[in-house]
Amino acid sequence: SSQTKDAVVGETMRALQKHGLTPQNIQNTPHEKLNQLLNKVGFHNNKTKYIKEATSILLSTYNADIPPTADEMMKLPGVGPKMAYIIESVAFNTTTGIGVDTHMHRMFNQLKWVNNAKTPEQTREQLEGWLPRDYWAEVNVLWVGFGQETQQQKEKALRKAFACSRPVEALGLYKKVGMDIKKEAKRFGLEEEVTRVMCGGDGVSKK
């Protein structure tokens, strides 16, 4: 859910898995109970409705499995291009599109990889227009993780930059996607490490 923090989504998914996350069990679960399991997620009333409708289709049309193509998945209630392309790639090892989430949409605009895209779907269309198809399957996993860390786990991201083979370039990339390096370094007591990286250990700034 784009309106819900990743940690809350994870917590909700674990609760659903504990409850029994199969089409038949979800179909047998009372609407009120399912809605309760989803109540921490944004638009949970709509999601409860969509999940109920989707499981009914999976049971009647796909033998309790999921459709094998992104196009068919997008016909299910509540399933958009992002999740359809990701599932297609992970579950069927087939990639016909790039799953673009809000993290990727924001970052690719900041990096000027797309031209003033207004929505994740516009970002996807522009990205697919120039990125070689061989890289499509890797983009989501790589950049969603990067976006989560630079937004929600900034100390971890900074320490990764310090430890990598090209720390100056890594910090430069963080700046391009909106991280205030000085502010976050001060917040986590990492000012000396930033200075060391940017000066290359010789007191001369490499900026």
Side-chain angles (χ1 to χ4, degrees):
S1 174
S2 61
Q3 305 298 320
T4 307
K5 291 183 178 180
D6 297 316
V8 175
V9 173
E11 179 185 344
T12 301
M13 284 303 303
R14 288 188 290 273
L16 285 168
Q17 290 166 343
K18 184 178 180 180
H19 172 73
L21 195 53
T22 66
Q24 188 64 65
N25 191 51
I26 294 298
Q27 189 67 15
N28 293 339
T29 300
H31 182 97
E32 295 75 14
K33 173 62 176 178
L34 183 58
N35 198 28
Q36 182 183 0
L37 289 166
L38 296 169
N39 69 352
K40 293 183 180 180
V41 177
F43 304 107
H44 58 89
N45 291 326
N46 287 338
K47 287 181 170 58
T48 299
K49 176 185 174 184
Y50 293 151
I51 290 172
K52 277 287 194 178
E53 292 174 350
T55 54
S56 178
I57 295 170
L58 297 183
L59 288 164
S60 63
T61 306
Y62 296 100
N63 194 29
D65 205 341
I66 58 176
T69 69
D71 285 343
E72 288 179 86
M73 291 178 215
M74 283 185 272
K75 294 177 182 177
L76 295 172
V79 178
K82 178 189 74 174
M83 287 310 305
Y85 290 128
I86 292 172
I87 293 169
E88 181 186 58
S89 179
V90 173
F92 298 102
N93 198 30
T94 299
T95 303
T96 60
I98 299 171
V100 174
D101 76 343
T102 53
H103 291 297
M104 296 165 67
H105 170 59
R106 171 182 54 79
M107 289 187 296
F108 293 162
N109 272 280
Q110 290 170 321
L111 293 170
K112 308 299 183 185
W113 284 15
V114 294
N115 182 24
N116 198 31
K118 301 297 185 184
T119 65
E121 185 64 3
Q122 289 182 8
T123 293
R124 177 186 70 81
E125 291 172 352
Q126 289 191 35
L127 196 63
E128 289 176 0
W130 65 265
L131 185 70
R133 201 180 186 97
D134 289 347
Y135 295 109
W136 287 12
E138 303 173 28
V139 169
N140 185 274
V141 173
L142 177 64
W143 284 95
V144 168
F146 179 82
Q148 289 171 337
E149 289 191 358
T150 55
Q151 285 291 303
Q152 302 168 17
Q153 303 175 50
K154 295 178 181 179
E155 180 180 7
K156 179 180 179 181
L158 286 171
R159 292 189 183 280
K160 278 188 174 182
F162 302 151
C164 78
S165 60
R166 298 169 65 181
V168 175
E169 290 87 345
L171 293 179
L173 178 59
Y174 290 174
K175 288 183 179 180
K176 287 182 179 179
V177 298
M179 184 187 288
D180 187 327
I181 301 298
K182 290 184 178 180
K183 175 183 175 182
E184 298 304 332
K186 183 177 181 179
R187 177 184 174 195
F188 297 112
L190 298 173
E191 293 166 292
E192 289 186 9
E193 286 86 343
V194 168
T195 300
R196 175 183 57 79
V197 166
M198 300 309 295
C199 294
D202 57 11
V204 179
S205 175
K206 306 300 182 184
K207 293 181 181 178

